Amino acid sequence: MKATKTIISTLRDAPNDAVISSHQLMMRTGMLRKLGNGLYSYMPLGLRSLRKVENIIREELDAAGLLEMKPTVVVPGDIWRESGRWDKMSGEMLTAQNRAGQDMVVSPTAEEAFTVLIREGLSSYKQLPVIVYQINTKYRDEIRPRYGVMRGREFTMMDAYSFDADQKSLDESYEKCAAAYRRIFKRMGLSTISVKADTGAMGGSGSEEFMVESEVGDDTLILCPNCSYAANVEKAACRPDEALDKDGKPQVPATEQISKVDCPGVETIAAMETFFKMPATQFIKVLIYKVYNSTLDFTDAPGGKSFRREEENTAAPYYPESFIAVAIRGDLDVNETKLAAVLKASGVELAEQEDVIKYSGAPHGFVGPVGLTKVPLLADESVMVSRGDGTFDVKLHDTVTGGGTKDIDNMHVEPGRDFVPFMTADVRVVKPGDKCPDCGGTFYMKKGNELGHIFKLGDKYTKSMNVTYLDVNGKPVTPIMGCYGIGVDRTLASIIEEHHDEKGIIWTMSTAPYQVVIVPVKYDGTMKEAADKLYDELTKEGIEVLLDDRNERPGVKFNDADLIGFPIRIVVGEKNLPNVEIKLRKEADARLVPLADAAKETAAVVRAELAELSK
Ligand code: ATP
Ligand code: MG
């Protein structure tokens, strides 16, 4: 391609709303133009890189045996009613009515469409397993689109859906996609961190996120330096640790009995630290939570019988609403996502003051673990760990806790001696410095951005949308599904985030709009001749070349080449001929190479780098 035959419109400055490097560079290189909030259009150069990313995804998925399809982007609202998501998704979903008054949806995701399409022809177990995918436009009415195409309203997504006869087959489909994802990101030159959701406390359901490190990431990752443990802070588990006293020594079990202390107004942990002159690690705080739809059995727990249990017409009896007291070390916070998971509940929230008093006898700030009779007590593993035989490994000794009465605290409270919880679990918010549950390594933290996601769905859609096939015995059964997504634009932007410097983008060989740029100092005379020859030879070698034939000053052309970030630049200058200067964007130094060898040598570099990325 000649530069004068395409659209190259680089900008000196990025627009003000571009705050992250990839957004700034995508705008400055002219890859993107904005049409509206969250609506970005790809210009020719940008589209070439986007297509590269799409094609890498396509090639790897095809190689793994997935089948590409192309459902429509606009789908009938009725299929969303069928799955029950019409109301749930209505915020993010762009809908319209056609002239006949029928509801239409601009797909924000496509579980419904694929389920309907597969349902149509599915009759026998012999047709399973099958994994289908599309690389197609999505629209989500994001409240706050930002960072350019990182979070746009219209974007391209690869979404795949597997249909399997049983769990074992689903596990295989899932692994197949996970392996393909790893090859995809590797080929693009992206370092991804795979974050499994089923870490410790969360139990087994299969889900994995592929994240990249990013300063502006929406997710906070907890990582272990010694092993592959990586978790979203929302779900991260940790190994219980022994609390230390104010001198940094292990705490000693209480020998004295509980004594009550008047402490009017000492409601917070900070106030307690000042009042008792002790570190927060010596306190136990107790919080009362309201719990929704728990399927745990509280019958034998204190207060358990007072909660209404729904037993009729339901697969698993559950408590529409119940309460629990959570005891945790004073310096820690409760992770409500983990707490809800442990309680097998749909959600938890801190109880209102009225309920706190009703269940614990004291207002918030003075609730204690001792003598709770109206509410089950869950102890975080920072306090004690159940050994499963009625005994406990106590992590916190001789503690100060709320006294169960307003303005009273208890001193010398010994877990196990003075109170016994209904259950113990890891429900704390994990922080850097906490210990890895798998290997004991000391956690550190990073911000991350999700590029892709793989998820075992089970029969959520196939059941509500009545998909069945006949098994070996001719019996109708419901298949189970998995879903798999990669944000194509976000992946493209992430490549730029990882590969750029102060001058511009440094494309990886597999994702560059063109692998090579030829810059004649002046496109005239012998330089023009040499540049044209090189261009023809490289093109014959199958290399993607841009020839900068613009009538611009050399400095402008060099700056543009660096800004756009072609992996290889070949400068054709009069004084160097019959040599030309080859420079890799990622390296500082250039080499002089005879014009006669330049094409072969350049092609070899391109192929070697592509091969390295595909390894
Ligand atoms: P997020 O938490 O970032 O909103 P999500 O959980 O909504 O993501 P999924 O529904 O799993 O995302 O979609 C699959 C992939 O699509 C994501 O991993 C991400 O790469 C991409 N994606 C989602 N929303 C957007 C968006 N608004 N703009 C660009 N890419 C997006
Ligand atoms: Mg989202």
Side-chain angles (χ1 to χ4, degrees):
M1 175 63 72
K2 300 235 172 102
T4 53
K5 300 281 183 295
T6 180
I7 303 172
I8 295 193
S9 52
T10 52
L11 304 171
R12 184 183 295 272
D13 297 307
N16 285 335
D17 67 346
V19 289
I20 63 167
S21 306
S22 59
H23 187 192
Q24 289 168 343
L25 289 170
M26 287 173 105
M27 298 306 289
R28 283 188 57 208
T29 53
M31 288 173 65
L32 285 184
R33 274 184 197 161
K34 186 172 172 174
L35 269 178
N37 200 7
L39 299 174
Y40 290 90
S41 303
Y42 284 85
M43 302 302 283
L45 275 188
L47 185 64
R48 285 184 67 92
S49 286
L50 185 78
R51 291 277 186 257
K52 293 266 178 96
V53 169
E54 285 181 15
N55 281 331
I56 290 174
I57 296 174
R58 181 173 284 116
E59 283 170 22
E60 293 298 337
L61 295 183
D62 289 350
L66 279 73
L67 298 172
E68 186 173 7
M69 304 183 19
K70 190 180 171 302
T72 55
V73 174
V74 176
V75 300
D78 280 346
I79 64 174
W80 284 79
R81 292 207 173 81
E82 224 189 303
S83 72
R85 285 211 293 182
W86 174 260
D87 294 320
K88 279 187 209 146
M89 290 285 288
S90 56
E92 276 204 332
M93 210 153 72
L94 182 67
T95 59
Q97 289 194 337
N98 65 9
R99 66 174 79 197
Q102 290 155 335
D103 288 316
M104 293 289 155
V105 173
V106 185
S107 296
T109 172
E111 283 79 3
E112 282 77 2
F114 275 91
T115 305
V116 167
L117 291 169
I118 292 301
R119 177 176 67 185
E120 181 102 18
L122 184 64
S123 54
S124 155
Y125 69 96
K126 290 179 194 146
Q127 294 163 283
L128 299 178
V130 62
I131 319 179
V132 283
Y133 78 96
Q134 67 175 331
I135 299 177
N136 213 345
T137 301
K138 296 283 178 300
Y139 185 91
R140 292 184 182 177
D141 222 23
E142 299 278 355
I143 299 176
R144 225 155 57 86
R146 59 185 185 279
Y147 307 140
V149 296
M150 281 278 187
R151 182 173 300 283
R153 288 198 168 128
E154 186 180 300
F155 58 98
T156 303
M157 194 201 283
M158 182 296 293
D159 44 327
Y161 305 87
S162 61
F163 295 80
D164 289 279
D166 55 35
Q167 194 61 43
K168 185 169 161 285
S169 173
L170 171 57
D171 292 347
E172 284 165 13
S173 296
Y174 180 91
E175 281 312 320
K176 205 181 256 185
C177 291
Y181 271 36
R182 279 188 267 281
R183 282 194 300 275
I184 286 168
F185 294 125
K186 159 97 184 23
R187 261 184 79 180
M188 295 174 187
L190 266 174
S191 327
T192 54
I193 303 167
S194 132
V195 175
K196 291 201 172 67
D198 51 349
T199 50
M202 300 307 288
S205 95
S207 154
E208 191 170 336
E209 289 172 348
F210 290 76
M211 317 279 290
V212 280
E213 187 181 346
S214 154
E215 267 170 53
V216 296
D218 289 328
D219 296 276
T220 302
L221 308 182
I222 296 288
L223 303 162
C224 177
N226 297 345
C227 71
S228 63
Y229 188 95
N232 203 307
V233 70
E234 287 169 14
K235 295 169 179 173
C238 75
R239 185 175 280 191
D241 46 357
E242 304 284 338
L244 301 176
D245 68 9
K246 61 177 184 307
D247 303 319
K249 298 216 182 72
Q251 297 173 354
V252 183
T255 46
E256 294 175 56
Q257 295 304 308
I258 293 178
S259 65
K260 295 209 173 291
V261 183
D262 273 320
C263 44
V266 183
E267 291 180 16
T268 62
I269 292 291
M272 284 173 74
E273 286 185 289
T274 314
F275 187 87
F276 289 99
K277 299 192 177 53
M278 286 184 192
T281 49
Q282 199 89 45
F283 305 144
I284 294 176
K285 72 180 164 197
V286 179
L287 302 160
I288 306 288
Y289 276 95
K290 192 181 211 175
V291 182
Y292 296 101
N293 305 318
S294 170
T295 56
L296 279 193
D297 186 352
F298 292 118
T299 319
D300 296 328
K305 292 198 180 64
S306 69
F307 307 135
R308 190 175 70 79
R309 195 165 191 224
E310 190 74 55
E311 303 199 18
E312 275 166 40
N313 306 325
T314 168
Y318 68 100
Y319 297 91
E321 199 176 289
S322 56
F323 289 83
I324 193 143
V326 178
I328 191 166
R329 206 172 70 203
D331 61 316
L332 301 176
D333 292 312
V334 173
N335 177 327
E336 297 182 357
T337 307
K338 280 163 70 173
L339 179 61
V342 160
L343 296 173
K344 299 188 172 28
S346 62
V348 298
E349 65 184 19
L350 276 175
E352 301 285 340
Q353 184 76 294
E354 194 184 316
D355 287 319
V356 175
I357 295 171
K358 175 176 165 192
Y359 287 103
S360 77
H364 186 71
F366 296 97
V367 181
V370 181
L372 289 172
T373 54
K374 294 183 178 152
V375 66
L377 176 69
L378 179 152
D380 178 64
E381 291 184 352
S382 58
V383 175
M384 60 217 296
V385 181
S386 165
R387 295 198 184 94
D389 59 0
T391 67
F392 298 92
D393 174 12
V394 175
K395 300 289 181 190
L396 195 56
H397 298 286
D398 201 351
T399 68
V400 179
T401 76
T405 317
K406 186 169 166 30
D407 294 339
I408 304 280
D409 277 347
N410 278 339
M411 284 187 75
H412 307 303
V413 175
E414 184 62 24
R417 181 191 73 179
D418 299 324
F419 68 89
V420 172
F422 161 66
M423 65 189 288
T424 68
D426 166 22
V427 296
R428 71 154 94 161
V429 175
V430 170
K431 291 188 290 227
D434 286 344
K435 303 291 180 228
C436 171
D438 293 346
C439 76
T442 304
F443 280 145
Y444 65 102
M445 204 170 85
K446 271 184 181 175
K447 287 265 177 214
N449 230 336
E450 178 194 315
L451 294 189
H453 193 188
I454 59 179
F455 193 76
K456 291 179 191 169
L457 281 168
D459 63 4
K460 183 168 172 203
Y461 296 93
T462 42
K463 203 166 168 191
S464 59
M465 301 182 78
N466 287 319
V467 185
T468 55
Y469 66 92
L470 298 179
D471 70 7
V472 198
N473 306 313
K475 203 172 103 249
V477 260
T478 307
I480 49 178
M481 280 175 77
C483 70
Y484 316 87
I486 296 179
V488 178
D489 319 69
R490 192 180 286 183
T491 299
L492 181 67
S494 299
I495 296 169
I496 300 175
E497 286 292 324
E498 188 173 335
H499 300 278
H500 72 270
D501 62 13
E502 66 295 340
K503 291 185 184 156
I505 303 172
I506 308 173
W507 284 113
T508 57
M509 197 58 82
S510 55
T511 57
Y514 294 92
Q515 295 152 341
V516 178
V517 62
I518 301 174
V519 186
V521 170
K522 200 167 177 358
Y523 192 55
D524 196 17
T526 51
M527 286 182 280
K528 177 174 186 299
E529 242 170 65
D532 286 345
K533 175 172 155 24
L534 204 45
Y535 180 83
D536 289 340
E537 286 175 4
L538 280 167
T539 307
K540 278 202 197 87
E541 291 278 348
I543 305 300
E544 302 162 358
V545 200
L546 184 82
L547 171 55
D548 196 345
D549 59 343
R550 294 177 300 170
N551 188 16
E552 293 279 1
R553 280 181 294 114
V556 171
K557 294 197 273 192
F558 293 154
N559 283 344
D560 278 355
D562 281 347
L563 176 64
I564 298 170
F566 305 101
I568 304 177
R569 186 187 77 185
I570 308 180
V571 177
V572 183
E574 198 148 43
K575 70 171 192 302
N576 283 331
L577 281 173
N579 291 319
V580 293
E581 183 195 277
I582 300 183
K583 182 181 166 302
L584 301 192
R585 175 67 177 84
K586 64 182 174 189
E587 286 173 6
D589 299 325
R591 292 181 299 124
L592 283 183
V593 175
L595 175 64
D597 304 336
K600 281 246 160 350
E601 255 190 52
T602 304
V605 173
V606 172
R607 290 193 190 110
E609 290 213 2
L610 288 176
E612 180 63 31
L613 288 165
S614 300
K615 261 215 295 234

